[in-house]
Amino acid sequence: MRIAIIGAGIVGSTAAYYLSKQPGYEVTVFDYGVGQATKAAAGIISPWFSKRRNKAWYQLARQGADFYQELIEDLKKEGNETSFYQQMGVCLLKKDESKLQILLDLARSRRTESPMIGELALLKDEQVSTIFPGLCGFEELLYASGGARVEGALLTETLLAASGARIINKKVSLEILDSSYQIDHQEFDRVILACGAWLPELLHPCGYQVDVRPQKGQLRDYQLSDETSKYPVVMPEGELDIIPFQEGKVSVGATHENDKGFDLTVDKFLLDQMEAEAHHYFPRLKEASLLGERVGTRAYTSDFSPFWGELPGQKGIYVASGLGSSGLTTGPLIGWHLAHMAMEKELRLAPKDYPVDQYIHFV
């Protein structure tokens, strides 16, 4: 079975990994490599505090957070390094700190089905200094020990290397034939489309209209002199996140810009604003050296909901997009599902809850 995957981000690389584990599948991954959201992402796995009313989205995000444990176990069994993921906890801050109790009650109500939330506690500023030295600008915050951080680029590199799939770095088009599909003058039996915000461009020549648009995201990376590997992620209210990694690296971001199209230009003004806000909570960041900036393009839909499943009117083409800023949480589980759909294996979530035909129409 010849399977092509267009897009080597978090969905495509996970699908490639799980397809390659099964005998009888020859996997080719096509990736243009420009603007990919995952490569520019430093993500937080902590969906349990979301108040989104979309229950299907929450189940996807909740199970997506849990799925990391399975993914890491699978990779480790084969001797792969999994340093892209660290579960060091998360600290949530609110300008109105009375709202923290509401979030704590919500998380406690969800812990039965999501034990990965771990320990939950409201911590005073002096208590926080033991887990994140130098964090300030609050009287109380909500801590959850199960929160995790993910380095997107390292995750996809690990998955693709572990898959052993053939990787072709170029921009390609899709041609739908009578009984197969052609990409880059090669024929395939099945295709997985995981190209994020570029899905409309790919499917338009095939007669499809796609409700997906680009969202620009920017962040900055810093280097501190001390070890930060055990620091939890910090999530103040708004767009700002402070994400410590190993060996003193700290990422600050990320912006959510819906009107910039596919622009990958670094906007220093916006990043300076975010940096100033980060200094309020973590003044020691002023001592850090700047490593650089990252810019990527997320995909989102008109109602900010993701979708995945079979392309309408086509048996053998599977698609996902619209993951937005929750892509590092939901992407691996979606990739696993697309791989299992291509292999005609049992699924864990119902595709009807993430309907492709709500966002893709043949015209």
Side-chain angles (χ1 to χ4, degrees):
M1 177 73 69
R2 298 161 299 172
I3 298 184
I5 299 173
I6 301 181
I10 194 163
V11 173
S13 59
T14 308
Y17 173 69
Y18 280 102
L19 281 165
S20 70
K21 300 299 104 179
Q22 301 297 319
Y25 292 92
E26 180 184 290
V27 182
T28 302
V29 180
F30 297 93
D31 187 69
Y32 186 37
V34 176
Q36 184 190 102
T38 309
K39 288 182 179 178
I44 302 169
I45 310 301
S46 180
W48 313 290
F49 305 95
S50 173
K51 291 186 176 181
R52 287 180 65 165
R53 296 182 179 180
N54 186 331
K55 293 181 180 179
W57 177 88
Y58 178 71
Q59 287 304 314
L60 176 64
R62 178 187 72 79
Q63 292 190 39
D66 291 346
F67 182 72
Y68 266 95
Q69 306 303 313
E70 180 180 336
L71 176 61
I72 287 170
E73 184 179 347
D74 290 340
L75 286 165
K76 282 184 173 179
K77 283 178 182 177
E78 301 168 346
N80 297 293
E81 175 63 45
T82 59
S83 57
F84 58 80
Y85 176 93
Q86 293 101 32
Q87 194 173 8
M88 299 306 302
V90 61
C91 295
L92 285 86
L93 293 86
K94 289 289 183 183
K95 294 173 183 176
D96 179 359
E97 294 184 353
S98 65
K99 294 180 179 179
L100 293 173
Q101 183 63 52
I102 298 173
L103 285 178
L104 175 60
D105 293 341
L106 175 65
R108 282 174 172 166
S109 71
R110 289 173 167 175
R111 189 161 54 179
T112 300
E113 66 174 1
S114 297
M116 204 178 100
I117 293 176
E119 173 192 350
L120 291 164
L122 294 175
L123 301 180
K124 300 294 185 183
D125 53 359
E126 63 270 16
Q127 295 172 294
V128 176
S129 64
T130 62
I131 59 173
F132 198 127
L135 196 66
C136 61
F138 61 93
E139 293 183 5
E140 191 174 52
L141 58 71
L142 174 56
Y143 171 74
S145 64
R149 56 182 178 245
V150 177
E151 185 64 78
L154 184 56
L155 168 57
T156 56
E157 289 169 12
T158 301
L159 288 168
L160 290 173
S163 75
R166 183 170 58 131
I167 313 296
I168 299 178
N169 297 114
K170 66 184 300 185
K171 191 171 186 178
V172 295
S173 58
L174 169 68
E175 184 178 356
I176 299 175
L177 306 177
D178 289 338
S179 58
S180 64
Y181 309 98
Q182 189 172 87
I183 302 169
D184 193 34
H185 307 293
Q186 304 172 58
E187 287 195 19
F188 296 91
D189 303 299
R190 291 177 185 171
V191 177
I192 291 175
L193 305 180
C195 48
W198 291 267
L199 186 63
E201 178 183 340
L202 183 69
L203 285 180
H204 183 264
C206 299
Y208 288 93
Q209 182 176 338
V210 183
D211 175 14
V212 168
R213 60 218 57 194
Q215 181 187 74
K216 183 178 180 179
Q218 305 179 70
L219 59 77
R220 271 184 180 161
D221 295 316
Y222 302 84
Q223 182 67 55
L224 284 167
S225 58
D226 51 340
E227 178 53 63
T228 53
S229 61
K230 294 186 179 180
Y231 290 11
V233 170
V234 180
M235 299 177 65
E237 199 165 9
E239 292 186 351
L240 173 67
D241 295 316
I242 302 171
I243 311 173
F245 288 93
Q246 296 172 321
E247 301 177 348
K249 180 184 174 184
V250 178
S251 297
V252 172
T255 65
H256 295 70
E257 303 164 62
N258 295 337
D259 58 349
K260 301 297 184 180
F262 292 92
D263 174 35
L264 296 175
T265 306
V266 172
D267 188 330
K268 292 188 178 295
F269 177 75
L270 284 180
L271 290 174
D272 286 346
Q273 285 185 318
M274 195 161 281
E275 180 181 281
E277 186 181 357
H279 287 166
H280 172 73
Y281 296 106
F282 188 37
R284 286 179 48 233
L285 193 65
K286 297 175 184 178
E287 305 167 10
S289 57
L290 178 63
L291 291 176
E293 290 106 356
R294 287 185 270 173
V295 186
T297 305
R298 308 182 190 97
Y300 73 102
T301 59
S302 56
D303 63 358
F304 296 93
S305 296
F307 61 86
W308 56 268
E310 196 166 57
L311 183 67
Q314 291 296 327
K315 293 290 184 182
I317 299 184
Y318 310 93
V319 60
S321 191
L323 279 63
S325 58
S326 65
L328 283 180
T329 300
T330 60
L333 184 57
I334 292 175
W336 180 94
H337 273 86
L338 294 188
H340 278 64
M341 292 184 82
M343 295 185 288
E344 299 182 349
K345 290 192 172 185
E346 187 176 350
L347 307 179
R348 299 174 186 176
L349 294 169
K352 66 179 179 61
D353 292 332
Y354 312 92
V356 175
D357 58 8
Q358 185 172 323
Y359 304 94
I360 300 180
H361 306 280
F362 190 77
V363 292

